[in-house]
Amino acid sequence: MNSRDGIIGLAIGDAMGVPIEFNQREKLIRNPLIQMVGYGSHDVPKGSWSDDTSMTLATIDSISKNSKIVPSDIANNFIKWVRSAKYTPTEKVFGIGRTTLQALARCELKVKTAEEAGGNGEMDNGNGSLMRILPLAYYCYSKKMEGEEILKEVKAVSSITHRHEISIMGCYIYVLFAIELLKGKGFKDAYKKIKISNYSYFSNNCIHKYDRILKNNIAKYKIDDISSQGYVVSTLEATLWVLFNTKNYNEAIIRAINLGNDTDTVGACVGGLAGIRYGLDSINEVWKKNLLKYEYIYRICEEFDKIL
């Protein structure tokens, strides 16, 4: 298996979105970003990726070391990222969300176990676990896991920072979709699969939050109906909407980041899935060249592939 398609795809989507994070859609429609640039919203050079990629790499590194998913070790890697800027492109930590920071403080202080540390309130459903959940698709697919087995692992890893069922369900849908892509399915067939999957583990109220994806056709919505704010449901909707309304990796990333607002995370979530579907070779060569620590990410993926 080749994880670098999705992981590097994620990192490039993240880095493309970093300079215009928080920009309004109306501004980007007038002046869209179509190339990788630096600075802007954050004081970091071109090709810098954010917490989305850092936490994804921290997750991969832990799974590679343990040959399995150990939430406490993943949490320790997250703490190394926050405290020592490990897994960063410039030895600078930026963009960390409140829910994530509070959860990692609980882990560090041993107030909670890793699987109990995440926020569990209705207001704790940002996209901070969705943005880093892609490695679990590779792991669960390689172990031929199904349904409840996959959910158990997704729940454990999401719960390190985001323990509410709405966040867990969003991560679960994303991982199921990615697994279908890893099987060689296209976006339409992957979408059919997630629509008929079993979500009985979740409350009716939680399932209802995902009606636009599971009961309707998210691809058919108009751009004005798609939010790119940091709410986990909105991010998943935006991700799928972009994939269905573009034809290749590069077009998908440009469409994703120019939705505005939480551009790095929408870019990362789109980039991970588009990377799997279209492959590393399809990605703009200039973007790959400009991505900071490209070889470092590549090596982490190679180590990960050894245990898959």
Side-chain angles (χ1 to χ4, degrees), residues 8-295:
I8 292 177
L10 181 153
I12 287 176
D14 181 6
M16 287 287 289
V18 163
I20 52 171
E21 187 178 14
F22 313 124
N23 280 215
Q24 295 302 305
R25 184 176 300 173
E26 293 74 17
K27 175 184 175 182
L28 293 169
I29 288 174
R30 291 193 302 270
N31 187 24
L33 182 67
I34 60 172
Q35 59 189 343
M36 193 175 284
V37 299
Y39 304 99
S41 301
H42 300 282
D43 189 26
V44 291
K46 179 168 62 178
S48 297
W49 20 276
S50 71
D51 52 335
D52 306 58
T53 303
S54 293
M55 297 184 82
T56 298
L57 297 179
T59 302
I60 290 173
D61 198 26
S62 174
I63 298 173
S64 298
K65 181 178 72 176
N66 294 287
S67 296
K68 61 181 180 179
I69 293 170
V70 182
S72 60
D73 192 66
I74 294 173
N76 286 337
N77 279 358
F78 291 165
I79 292 167
K80 290 175 185 175
W81 159 64
V82 172
R83 295 299 184 195
S84 307
K86 192 172 182 181
Y87 310 110
T88 63
T90 60
E91 286 65 57
K92 178 179 179 179
V93 177
F94 66 95
I96 185 169
R98 171 190 57 82
T99 302
T100 295
L101 193 60
Q102 290 176 345
L104 296 182
R106 288 190 282 269
C107 286
E108 189 173 25
L109 296 170
K110 309 295 183 186
V111 175
K112 297 282 188 179
T113 65
E115 293 176 66
E116 299 172 327
N120 193 32
E122 189 79 27
M123 300 303 293
D124 295 319
N125 284 308
N127 51 27
S129 60
L130 181 69
M131 69 187 194
R132 58 174 173 81
I133 208 69
L134 182 60
L136 270 69
Y138 286 101
Y139 179 80
C140 293
Y141 175 66
S142 74
K143 305 305 177 189
K144 297 181 171 57
M145 291 183 182
E146 299 286 343
E148 199 166 352
E149 293 177 295
I150 297 171
L151 177 59
K152 179 184 176 183
E153 301 292 5
V154 168
K155 181 179 180 180
V157 174
S158 175
S159 293
I160 298 170
T161 58
H162 293 70
R163 192 161 54 95
H164 195 279
E165 63 172 341
I166 292 174
S167 290
I168 293 166
M169 185 169 170
C171 289
Y172 184 51
I173 294 171
Y174 187 94
V175 167
L176 292 180
F177 192 92
I179 287 172
E180 293 303 303
L181 299 181
L182 290 171
K183 292 177 180 177
K185 303 285 183 64
F187 293 141
K188 289 184 179 179
D189 286 337
Y191 192 32
K192 290 177 184 176
K193 178 67 175 181
I194 66 168
K195 280 193 163 192
I196 63 171
S197 293
N198 179 15
Y199 301 105
S200 63
Y201 320 103
F202 302 96
S203 71
N204 289 334
N205 178 62
C206 177
I207 296 170
H208 180 66
K209 302 290 186 184
Y210 290 95
D211 278 354
R212 297 209 315 172
I213 292 173
L214 300 177
K215 290 187 177 181
N216 300 330
N217 184 353
I218 196 65
K220 299 298 184 182
Y221 282 83
K222 295 180 180 179
I223 188 171
D224 289 342
D225 298 320
I226 299 298
S227 170
S228 50
Q229 300 285 354
Y231 179 42
V232 61
V233 179
S234 299
T235 300
L236 186 58
E237 289 181 348
T239 296
L240 296 176
W241 182 86
V242 167
L243 294 175
F244 289 124
N245 286 285
T246 52
K247 295 183 175 62
N248 56 61
Y249 177 91
N250 303 322
E251 184 184 346
I253 295 303
I254 290 170
R255 176 68 64 90
I257 64 172
N258 285 293
L259 289 176
N261 298 304
D262 201 359
T263 51
D264 58 332
T265 298
V266 177
C269 289
V270 168
L273 298 177
I276 294 173
R277 178 69 181 89
Y278 298 117
L280 188 61
D281 290 344
S282 74
I283 300 176
N284 185 312
E285 290 296 328
V286 176
W287 295 353
K288 288 189 284 189
K289 182 179 179 181
N290 288 337
L291 185 70
L292 295 184
K293 291 191 176 179
Y294 180 94
E295 294 300 329

